[in-house]
Amino acid sequence: MSVPRDYDVNPRRFALGSRSPAARALYVRLAERLRPFARVLDVGCGDGNLRAESPQVVGLDGSMTMLRAHPAPRVMGEAAALPFRDGCFDAVTAVNMLYHLPDPLLAIREARRVLRPGGLFVAVTRSRADSPELAEVWRPAATTFDAEEAPALVGEVFERVEVESWDAPLVTLGDRAAVRDYLVTRFVEPADAGERASRVRTPLTLTKRGAYVYGSS
Ligand SMILES: C[S@@+](CC[C@H](N)C(=O)[O-])C[C@H]1O[C@@H](n2cnc3c(N)ncnc32)[C@H](O)[C@@H]1O
């Protein structure tokens, strides 16, 4: 199932999770890979996490709330119908966003259309086996673009696919309030999240699992 888009009605949920040191490390690593590319489109750019590390990024997002917080250049738009001509970007990224689409292939095909020949597509997403230490109180729901299926989906559009996975104890939740907030970022209602957090022993270190999936032709 696709993940709901609540960025205009509940921006706080996203904000609770997006500024952690582990999250920042993800963008720093991606920015390193993007360094040789002059024209980079970040589809589903949010409020600018990648742009903070990659100054050449043009942001595109379907949420006005998110886009307002993203530095220019930025464009309001839909991942499945990009408002750009063919071949005008050297790289296109889609970081933690393709799981919002009922059919992510529509957006991956659009990314390929706006890429120049030999350009790089990068999708980042998480695994269904993320944060196993929370298993007694919460499990991630399957989405339309989990790390388990992402390489095959990208491979339907691009000839070459490269996967770089992570599977490491990257996040420590210091107390129950931190566990509650983490669960809220993963769409658990706040009251329910508080109750579930009360059953968890803290501090709790979480194993984060996900992947960068690179596509090129
Ligand atoms: C989890 S946030 C990630 C934001 C950013 N990529 C980051 O990593 O910080 C997902 C973003 O994708 C945007 N989004 C979701 N579906 C979209 C679509 N179909 N077209 C454009 N933007 C979309 C949302 O508005 C939101 O800003």
Side-chain angles (χ1 to χ4, degrees):
M1 210 176 97
S2 59
V3 174
R5 291 166 64 172
D6 62 350
Y7 301 90
D8 288 319
V9 292
N10 185 15
R12 187 172 173 272
R13 181 199 59 77
F14 174 65
L16 272 178
S18 83
R19 299 279 185 257
S20 71
R24 175 151 186 270
L26 181 147
Y27 303 105
V28 168
R29 186 165 185 78
L30 180 53
E32 195 59 42
R33 180 81 187 239
L34 294 172
R35 204 180 297 275
F37 300 96
R39 300 165 303 169
V40 178
L41 175 67
D42 185 22
V43 177
C45 60
D47 55 2
N49 280 317
L50 180 58
R51 173 55 193 273
E53 311 302 332
S54 254
Q56 77 274 43
V57 155
V58 174
L60 175 137
D61 205 282
S63 156
M64 190 47 87
T65 309
M66 287 291 127
L67 207 56
R68 260 193 225 111
H70 190 287
R74 60 193 169 185
V75 178
M76 179 84 176
E78 173 55 47
L82 295 174
F84 301 104
R85 61 184 163 76
D86 296 1
C88 64
F89 289 100
D90 302 310
V92 175
T93 56
V95 183
N96 290 330
M97 68 79 60
L98 286 172
Y99 48 59
H100 285 299
L101 282 90
D103 183 358
L105 277 174
L106 298 178
I108 302 170
R109 289 196 191 104
E110 270 296 87
R112 178 163 183 169
R113 182 185 66 74
V114 303
L115 272 175
R116 65 157 164 83
L120 182 70
F121 173 67
V122 190
V124 180
T125 195
R126 56 203 182 209
S127 158
R128 281 196 295 281
D130 185 52
S131 306
E133 294 80 5
L134 286 170
E136 298 221 333
V137 297
W138 173 79
R139 289 311 308 137
T143 78
T144 51
F145 196 76
D146 291 327
E148 284 78 359
E149 289 84 31
L153 288 169
V154 173
E156 286 193 34
V157 179
F158 290 93
E159 285 76 23
R160 282 189 293 279
V161 176
E162 184 195 332
V163 180
E164 196 183 327
S165 302
W166 63 86
D167 180 348
L170 293 174
V171 170
T172 296
L173 303 174
D175 55 23
R176 286 176 174 161
V179 176
R180 180 200 60 215
D181 288 353
Y182 183 87
L183 292 173
V184 169
T185 68
R186 307 304 293 273
F187 289 95
V188 180
E189 287 303 319
D192 189 15
E195 188 281 319
R196 294 186 200 205
S198 71
R199 292 188 264 136
V200 169
R201 189 183 295 237
T202 56
L204 178 69
T205 296
L206 300 181
T207 304
K208 299 296 293 174
R209 294 177 174 144
Y212 301 85
V213 182
Y214 301 96
S216 57
S217 44

